[in-house]
Amino acid sequence: MPSIRFGKKSIKLPQSRLLRVGIGGAFVAGGVFSFLPVLGIWMLPVGLIVLSHDFPRIRRFRRKWDVRLARRWARFRGRAVTPAE
């Protein structure tokens, strides 16, 4: 069963691909309408993370951002990141 991992927490996703795509699309749509009081821009990255389980192009985009953020965080913390070979 697919799951999303945030640090030490893991959230399980439905097994149905159609339901995962629907949930991810709903989060992305909620992020687009972030000017409304209940919805927020936080929904956009969550939706892209959910969609990345089913779409390779979004998965590549998410992985690139993961690497960029890890490098920036390491630089901020004063540690050098060596590329994996």
Side-chain angles (χ1 to χ4, degrees):
M1 179 176 288
S3 64
I4 298 174
R5 181 162 235 185
F6 295 105
K8 295 180 182 180
K9 303 250 182 190
S10 180
I11 300 170
K12 293 181 182 176
L13 294 174
Q15 285 189 347
S16 168
R17 181 178 192 268
L18 187 60
L19 192 56
R20 283 193 309 266
V21 170
I23 290 171
F27 272 111
V28 169
V32 169
F33 295 111
S34 63
F35 58 88
L36 297 173
V38 176
L39 307 174
I41 196 72
W42 63 270
M43 296 177 83
L44 192 61
V46 172
L48 290 175
I49 290 170
V50 171
L51 288 174
S52 71
H53 282 279
D54 295 312
F55 297 104
R57 183 170 283 176
I58 298 173
R59 188 176 313 124
R60 275 185 248 121
F61 175 76
R62 181 182 53 88
R63 286 181 182 166
K64 285 180 184 180
W65 272 102
D66 285 346
V67 169
R68 280 187 194 155
L69 288 174
R71 287 182 179 161
R72 282 186 182 180
W73 181 250
R75 236 183 292 133
F76 176 75
R77 303 270 303 175
R79 299 179 188 144
V81 177
T82 58
E85 293 182 26

